[in-house]
Amino acid sequence: MTTPSTSPSQSLQAQRIPAMSVIAMVPILGVVSALVFDLHEYPSPLVAGGLFVLNLPAFGPAETIGYKVPAITPGTEPEAAQRQSVTAMQQSMILRFAITEAPALLSFAGAAVTGSAWVYLVGGFWALLSMIWHVWPSRRIATKLERSPERAGGRAHLTELLGGPSAPGHQQY
């Protein structure tokens, strides 16, 4: 008995479930921190700025190394290229998640040390935005990710799964 294989389109849709699961961790920790830690004193502007800056070392590497995937060999069948591209998108999503999650965890640890939920709520907010930007499977991510596997001349056929090829010069979200 064989199991039917999933199409690249179904795999891409299924990728949204783990993406939502990992992104949802940030608001859940926000609720936990609001219940466990003190909410009376908002952090100073210096601390709030530091929590923003804490996310920059994660956003940069996620932007630079988080979209590097193996190249597709020229002449690869379109369906095989799509499967390789979807697999690469899934694997790179996990890497980008791990990178962008670190500031949220550090903010939670800071909230535990200071006893103020605001430390996590401010730091976690910026981490949440970074995660949505880098983790949620979108046409913008597919378009950006396609550049890496197509560097050797092969076609990734990834954006077609998300509503067709993107228009040149137009960034789509």
Side-chain angles (χ1 to χ4, degrees), residues 124-156:
F125 170 76
W126 295 112
L128 178 64
L129 292 180
S130 181
M131 284 177 166
I132 291 170
W133 183 260
H134 285 298
V135 176
W136 185 255
S138 66
R139 185 180 296 180
R140 183 194 61 78
I141 285 182
T143 301
K144 183 171 181 140
L145 195 64
E146 264 186 338
R147 294 181 200 136
S148 186
E150 291 181 350
R151 70 184 177 275
R155 289 273 303 131

Side-chain angles (χ1 to χ4, degrees), residues 36-66:
V36 173
F37 305 123
D38 186 27
L39 276 170
H40 295 297
E41 190 174 325
Y42 189 78
S44 72
L46 185 64
V47 171
L51 291 167
F52 170 76
V53 170
L54 177 67
N55 282 277
L56 295 179
F59 190 88
E63 190 72 27
T64 56
I65 65 171

Side-chain angles (χ1 to χ4, degrees), residues 6 8-20 90 93 137:
T6 59
S9 180
Q10 291 170 327
S11 296
L12 192 60
Q13 286 295 87
Q15 187 175 348
R16 291 188 172 161
I17 295 168
M20 180 55 78
Q90 291 169 341
M93 178 191 79

